Amino acid sequence: MTIFNMIEQPVFAYLDPGAGSMLLQALIGGGAGLYVFLKHFLKMFRAGAFRPARRQTACVTGKHAEGT
Amino acid sequence: MSSVIDDVQVVDGSFRDRCGRVFLHGDRVFRSLTDEGLSDWRQISRTRFFREGSESGQIVRTWESHPAALPADLSDAVLVLEHERIPAVTWPWEWSFSMLKDAALSHLELMLAALSEDCILKDATPLNWQFSGGRWVLMDTGSVVPHTSGHTWEGYRQFCETFLFPLMLQAWKEVHFQPWLRGRISGIPVDQFARMLSFRDMFRRGAMIHVWLHSKLQTKRLSSSAVSDSVREGGFDRSMIVRNVESLQGVVQGLHWRESESEWSDYDQSSEPVQRDSAEKEAFVECVCSSRRWTTIWDLGCNLGRYSEIAARFSDLVLAFDSDHLTIDQMYRKIRRKEIRNIIPLVMDLTDPSPSLGWRHRERLNLEQRSTPELILCLALIHHLVISGQLLLHDVMDWLASFHAEVVFEYVDRQDAQTKVLLQNRRDVFIDYSRENFLAAVQARFEIVDEYSLPCGTRTLYHLRPHTRRFESIETNGV
């Protein structure tokens, strides 16, 4: 819990919300699902998914504000 | 298959399901199926849980049909189903806590029954459920599909956002959930709800897993394809979904809204005018209601439903509205206890009623597009609408007349003790609120069939019948 509380997760426009819910169901399901959860959890941890997010301060102007 | 003509109406709110569309033809409700929808239907219609659910009323009764007409854009339908018509459609933002909780438990119960026969409810939204005939009925048969082994429950997050979090919000925070669901019909997003919880809330049942961890896993570093591959390879099976559903059942059952008192919750028992005049009012209401059989009666400002219950004896359906959430919750529990099947209590502030919502404002229709009353009970409400709600007296009468329905109306004088309470500490700008103006407004729109002065001397009951001509807005310059 401490690890999670260190971070402020930004909301991403292109995140895939189904994936997290799917992984959580593996955890709740128990058994082999627990292994699947831990595997992805560790991958996410190593990839820095739970590092504190840097807050963006720059203004979005001109070209950068155009379609993404 | 059938001829294609245009006097059928596609239900706008059914567009999300690509396997079928719902349409109306007269009073009948149909669902067209595509090839994929047909294949699902063939499988689920043979199952025991579906058959038993239909027989018991937990699933809307459905049969294969051959309508005389199809909407032009559904001419490629391979099969058409017909559903039993539900007398009134209501939305979750009009329900009370116990109503949403019962709908959630019905959903989970049906999920378990479906899973026992390798089927699943792919969606998990309260919008698929209706309170009808005294029980919760699944309307969206298209959401019941065969379950493919190795696949997780697609509707899990939707269940959390539309059922679980609103219930938790009410039970844990005592924050009314209705404005949240009305503000966003797809529910309270998991990341938003997680931010509302305190440290203490984290130790409540279900908070750590279904809210906190769920929100932390909403990250761009997870991809569905990678997770679903390993879930499948890891041997994810039906029993794991069953465990999740059973866990959710426990969480939902453990949610209780402990509010015991609100401004209106004991009004019926403790209010002096209600106690004093109730026998005469009941007799008057019963006299009007018993004059014929009604299809739909609206009881506006129903409180605990004293008059709704009388109306229910003479009507197929009574929609009972009150803005007080706790009162409606108590009324719902009472009618369930007494097994009254034709009253639907709804949380509704009539000065700010349910609007049309969703895509093009057609997905979820407003109240007046969903129900048409033949008789309206508007008892001891007018002083609240005009003084507390600041509505114009003639505008309220315009609104009532717009339904072309008969009305049982209780006018409350300025001299009435309750009106005086409303005017306390308030600048009296309500110059239109007088008996003369009221009678002028009534006579312009209705015929007074009967009237009765209550023993208190400051209240009068009226039985009003609309003028036969179709109502046209009357310019009355404030009358």
Side-chain angles (χ1 to χ4, degrees):
Chain A
M1 187 164 175
T2 322
I3 298 166
F4 283 117
N5 282 343
M6 285 161 54
I7 64 173
E8 177 73 23
Q9 282 184 305
V11 176
F12 296 100
Y14 294 108
L15 69 73
D16 180 355
S21 302
M22 211 183 287
L23 196 55
L24 188 58
Q25 288 184 68
L27 173 71
I28 298 169
L34 193 62
Y35 167 75
V36 173
F37 176 81
L38 286 173
K39 194 175 90 177
H40 282 275
F41 179 83
L42 287 173
K43 252 191 218 167
M44 286 161 64
F45 188 77
R46 285 195 202 112
F50 304 123
R51 274 192 216 120
R54 276 181 300 174
R55 291 186 182 280
Q56 288 189 329
T57 51
C59 294
V60 181
T61 52
K63 261 188 175 177
H64 301 292
E66 287 166 16
T68 51
Chain B
M1 51 190 296
S2 304
S3 63
V4 177
I5 56 173
D6 286 324
D7 67 340
V8 289
Q9 182 196 347
V10 175
V11 174
D12 288 314
S14 68
F15 68 87
R16 290 182 197 274
D17 188 357
R18 298 293 197 274
C19 297
R21 288 296 297 266
V22 178
F23 63 95
L24 308 174
H25 189 199
D27 275 349
R28 297 167 69 187
V29 185
F30 299 96
R31 180 185 297 269
S32 69
L33 297 180
T34 60
D35 279 325
E36 193 183 342
L38 174 65
S39 156
D40 291 346
W41 166 252
R42 289 282 181 243
Q43 288 186 61
I44 64 150
S45 59
R46 285 194 207 109
T47 59
R48 189 165 47 88
F49 86 90
F50 193 86
R51 201 172 51 248
E52 287 177 358
S54 303
E55 283 163 10
S56 70
Q58 193 179 22
I59 300 171
V60 68
R61 230 162 55 79
T62 303
W63 57 94
E64 293 181 13
S65 180
H66 302 281
L70 275 176
D73 51 349
L74 299 181
S75 54
D76 58 344
V78 292
L79 182 72
V80 174
L81 304 176
E82 183 167 359
H83 295 305
E84 186 173 30
R85 190 167 183 128
I86 293 286
V89 174
T90 62
W91 306 131
W93 45 93
E94 298 163 350
W95 302 347
S96 73
F97 175 81
S98 299
M99 295 172 85
L100 186 63
K101 182 175 169 177
D102 283 355
L105 291 172
S106 298
H107 189 93
L108 295 173
E109 185 190 330
L110 194 61
M111 269 285 287
L112 289 178
L115 284 165
S116 71
E117 291 186 72
D118 284 331
C119 293
I120 196 166
L121 276 72
K122 63 179 176 182
D123 302 321
T125 165
L127 293 163
N128 285 351
W129 290 84
Q130 290 297 322
F131 184 61
S132 177
R135 68 165 306 155
W136 288 94
V137 184
L138 179 81
M139 302 298 303
D140 185 13
T141 54
S143 70
V144 188
V145 293
H147 176 245
T148 313
S149 182
H151 283 227
T152 55
W153 174 24
E154 274 179 56
Y156 166 61
R157 190 168 61 101
Q158 193 182 31
F159 182 88
C160 291
E161 295 186 339
T162 57
F163 280 112
L164 186 63
F165 300 158
L167 289 170
M168 287 173 163
L169 186 66
Q170 189 78 52
W172 296 350
K173 298 294 188 185
E174 296 196 15
V175 171
H176 298 300
F177 65 82
Q178 295 90 353
W180 296 77
L181 290 182
R182 173 168 150 172
R184 186 174 184 272
I185 56 177
S186 49
I188 307 173
V190 59
D191 62 301
Q192 296 285 296
F193 186 62
R195 283 165 208 262
M196 294 182 216
L197 299 193
S198 64
F199 183 71
R200 180 176 172 263
D201 291 329
M202 290 299 174
F203 298 95
R204 296 181 191 267
R205 189 172 181 184
M208 196 74 85
I209 297 284
H210 298 295
V211 186
W212 178 76
L213 187 53
H214 202 167
S215 76
K216 296 301 177 192
L217 292 173
Q218 308 297 304
T219 163
K220 70 173 180 179
R221 288 182 174 83
L222 272 178
S223 86
S224 275
S225 53
V227 174
S228 68
D229 285 350
S230 49
V231 159
R232 226 181 345 266
E233 286 158 15
F236 191 91
D237 63 14
R238 192 160 47 90
S239 68
M240 292 169 157
I241 302 177
V242 170
R243 268 199 286 278
N244 190 15
V245 173
E246 285 171 346
S247 148
L248 285 167
Q249 266 184 330
V251 175
V252 172
Q253 270 159 354
L255 291 170
H256 300 284
W257 180 29
R258 300 198 189 279
E259 183 98 303
S260 59
E261 194 178 284
S262 71
E263 186 185 355
W264 295 102
S265 56
D266 62 347
Y267 181 75
D268 227 19
Q269 281 81 41
S270 64
S271 164
E272 196 252 329
V274 171
Q275 294 300 317
R276 186 184 49 221
D277 297 332
S278 59
E280 282 83 358
K281 262 171 84 167
E282 282 178 8
F284 191 90
V285 169
E286 182 163 348
C287 180
V288 177
C289 289
S290 63
S291 61
R292 52 169 276 206
R293 184 76 196 168
W294 310 84
T295 306
T296 303
I297 295 178
W298 283 9
D299 184 1
L300 309 179
C302 62
N303 201 257
L304 286 172
R306 179 190 289 254
Y307 305 103
S308 304
E309 286 187 39
I310 295 172
R313 287 167 24 214
F314 307 101
S315 180
D316 297 340
L317 178 72
V318 176
L319 290 186
F321 306 96
D322 204 292
S323 60
D324 191 274
H325 184 182
L326 183 61
T327 306
I328 288 296
D329 202 57
Q330 290 173 344
M331 182 179 174
Y332 168 73
R333 281 182 272 144
K334 183 176 73 167
I335 63 165
R336 293 294 312 251
R337 209 169 41 244
K338 293 170 89 170
E339 295 186 353
I340 300 172
R341 297 174 191 280
N342 59 340
I343 298 179
I344 305 179
L346 297 170
V347 182
M348 180 90 69
D349 178 355
L350 293 169
T351 65
D352 180 20
S354 293
S356 296
L357 294 171
W359 171 238
R360 298 179 78 185
H361 298 136
R362 291 182 198 161
E363 205 177 342
R364 307 295 162 201
L365 300 178
N366 68 38
L367 171 67
E368 293 173 30
Q369 290 170 307
R370 284 176 280 145
S371 173
T372 308
E374 288 181 337
L375 175 67
I376 299 172
L377 307 183
C378 186
L379 300 169
L381 182 67
I382 188 67
H383 54 318
H384 294 292
L385 295 179
V386 174
I387 296 170
S388 307
Q390 301 183 326
L391 303 183
L392 297 170
L393 178 66
H394 75 94
D395 206 24
V396 175
M397 300 314 292
D398 261 0
W399 178 68
L400 286 173
S402 69
F403 295 105
H404 313 286
E406 294 189 30
V407 180
V408 179
F409 196 96
E410 180 178 355
Y411 180 74
V412 183
D413 256 356
R414 272 177 168 271
Q415 287 70 39
D416 188 88
Q418 301 298 104
T419 314
K420 285 179 181 167
V421 169
L422 293 181
L423 286 167
Q424 264 174 7
N425 304 319
R426 197 191 294 261
R427 204 170 130 238
D428 187 357
V429 293
F430 310 100
I431 49 172
D432 60 326
Y433 194 70
S434 69
R435 185 175 287 272
E436 295 71 37
N437 280 349
F438 167 70
L439 287 174
V442 164
Q443 281 157 358
R445 298 158 177 84
F446 296 95
E447 167 199 351
I448 299 177
V449 181
D450 193 9
E451 66 178 273
Y452 179 81
S453 289
L454 288 166
C456 61
T458 53
R459 297 177 175 222
T460 312
L461 294 169
Y462 294 90
H463 175 196
L464 309 175
R465 186 170 291 146
H467 292 317
T468 47
R469 67 183 169 81
R470 184 160 178 81
F471 179 75
E472 292 158 9
S473 186
I474 297 168
E475 292 300 325
T476 50
N477 295 324
V479 174

